[in-house]
């Protein structure tokens, strides 16, 4: 089952509605419609949304810079997801706890946790509290936290495509790819059987452009950022 990009004029499907702490809403502008995550805008400026938090175990692969990965995680938080980051570079992810803020007792919000790249017990996801796990383990990540239950989504952050990541890439429900060098675009063509015109498009994307790839899906889109996100992440960019 593939994820579908949704825009207001073409898809009226309703995603679940989650409860979000008002403090978090003050830190991050809501960026989806009833549980969907806005991943960018189309050619006419229309918002394009994926229902990444759903009643099906879900895999998302991001090929590109850390900016894109952190933006997706922030937007999942903004629609009410619990977020766990498994990473070898924890300092690069401290922006998420900063955005989540503190509880009334001044302890960090439990909404986001940062872990090492080793198996740990995860929160139990539910319809009221979906779980997004980000695996930031380099180009050949271990599948430490595969999604096994409803309302559990795992995002794999790949700084570049590597042949040993083919299994994870092929298992993804949706792939978001930023600009690729020619050699990696050719690897993408072999993994997903892309025709030459799509391969060329991957090599010519601008810094703020992404291609969403899935079953019967090839959709170029433009990354956009809210003022609050820009204050946390900086300007839209291809790299880290």
């Amino acid at each position: 089952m593939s994820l579908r990009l949704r825009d207001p004029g073409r898809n009226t499907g309703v995603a679940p509605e989650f409860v979000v702490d008002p403090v978090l809403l003050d830190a991050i502008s809501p960026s989806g419609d009833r549980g969907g995550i806005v991943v960018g805008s189309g050619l006419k400026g229309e918002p394009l949304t994926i229902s990444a938090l759903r009643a099906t175990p879900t895999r998302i692969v991001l090929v590109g810079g850390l900016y894109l990965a952190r933006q997706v995680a922030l937007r999942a938080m903004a629609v009410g997801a619990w977020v766990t980051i498994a990473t070898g570079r924890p300092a690069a992810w401290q922006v998420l706890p900063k955005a989540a803020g503190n509880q009334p007792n001044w302890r960090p919000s439990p909404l986001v946790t940062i872990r090492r790249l080793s198996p740990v017990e995860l929160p139990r996801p539910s319809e009221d509290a979906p779980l997004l796990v980000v695996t930031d383990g380099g180009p050949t990540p271990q599948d430490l936290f595969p999604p096994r239950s409803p309302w559990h989504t795992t995002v794999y952050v790949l700084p570049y495509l590597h042949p040993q990541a083919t299994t994870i890439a092929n298992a993804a429900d949706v792939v978001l790819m930023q600009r690729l060098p020619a050699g990696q675009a050719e690897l993408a063509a072999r993994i997903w059987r892309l025709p030459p015109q799509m391969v060329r498009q991957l090599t010519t994307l601008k810094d703020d452009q992404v291609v969403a790839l899935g079953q019967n899906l090839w959709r170029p889109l433009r990354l956009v950022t809210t003022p609050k996100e820009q204050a946390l992440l900086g300007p839209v960019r291809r790299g880290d």
Side-chain angles (χ1 to χ4, degrees):
M1 179 177 180
S2 63
L3 294 184
R4 293 180 296 170
L5 278 175
R6 299 186 292 128
D7 67 61
R10 298 180 58 186
N11 191 318
T12 57
V14 178
E17 184 173 9
F18 309 122
V19 177
V20 185
D21 190 298
V23 175
L24 180 61
L25 289 181
D26 189 53
I28 311 171
S29 297
S31 22
D33 70 327
R34 303 195 65 207
I37 297 175
V38 174
V39 292
S41 63
L43 297 178
K44 298 180 180 179
E46 72 279 13
L48 299 176
T49 306
I50 56 173
S51 295
L53 306 167
R54 56 187 188 152
T56 302
T58 300
R59 294 172 180 261
I60 299 175
V61 166
L62 307 182
V63 184
L66 188 60
Y67 173 90
L68 175 61
R70 292 189 297 191
Q71 187 181 59
V72 169
L74 281 171
R75 291 183 175 183
M77 288 169 55
V79 294
W82 291 71
V83 177
T84 295
I85 311 295
T87 181
R89 45 181 178 175
W93 288 93
Q94 291 302 319
V95 64
L96 266 74
K98 178 182 177 182
N102 294 325
Q103 302 178 79
N105 60 7
W106 296 104
R107 292 186 178 183
S109 169
L111 191 65
V112 55
T113 56
I114 299 177
R115 306 290 189 186
R116 285 189 262 180
L117 285 163
S118 58
V120 296
E121 185 175 351
L122 296 172
R124 181 172 295 180
S126 68
E127 184 174 357
D128 294 328
L131 174 65
L132 185 93
V133 179
V134 178
T135 301
D136 178 30
T140 58
Q142 293 179 282
D143 206 2
L144 297 172
F145 308 105
R148 293 194 176 98
S149 62
W151 309 108
H152 177 180
T153 297
T154 297
V155 174
Y156 303 87
V157 181
L158 308 183
Y160 57 88
L161 275 181
H162 189 285
Q164 292 182 16
T166 298
T167 300
I168 285 177
N170 268 325
D173 295 282
V174 68
V175 180
L176 300 178
M177 283 188 287
Q178 294 185 277
R179 183 178 61 249
L180 299 180
Q184 290 182 44
E186 292 295 337
L187 176 57
R190 293 194 295 273
I191 293 174
W192 293 293
R193 300 180 181 178
L194 303 179
Q197 64 268 26
M198 291 182 177
V199 176
R200 286 194 297 271
Q201 189 170 17
L202 286 175
T203 65
T204 58
L205 294 173
K206 297 179 180 179
D207 284 359
D208 64 348
Q209 291 181 317
V210 170
V211 164
L213 169 67
Q215 185 178 350
N216 301 318
L217 172 66
W218 176 272
R219 186 70 178 267
L221 55 95
R222 177 177 170 270
L223 294 176
V224 293
T225 183
T226 68
K228 292 178 181 178
E229 287 176 332
Q230 188 165 12
L232 291 165
L233 302 176
V236 176
R237 56 196 181 276
R238 165 62 179 86
D240 292 341

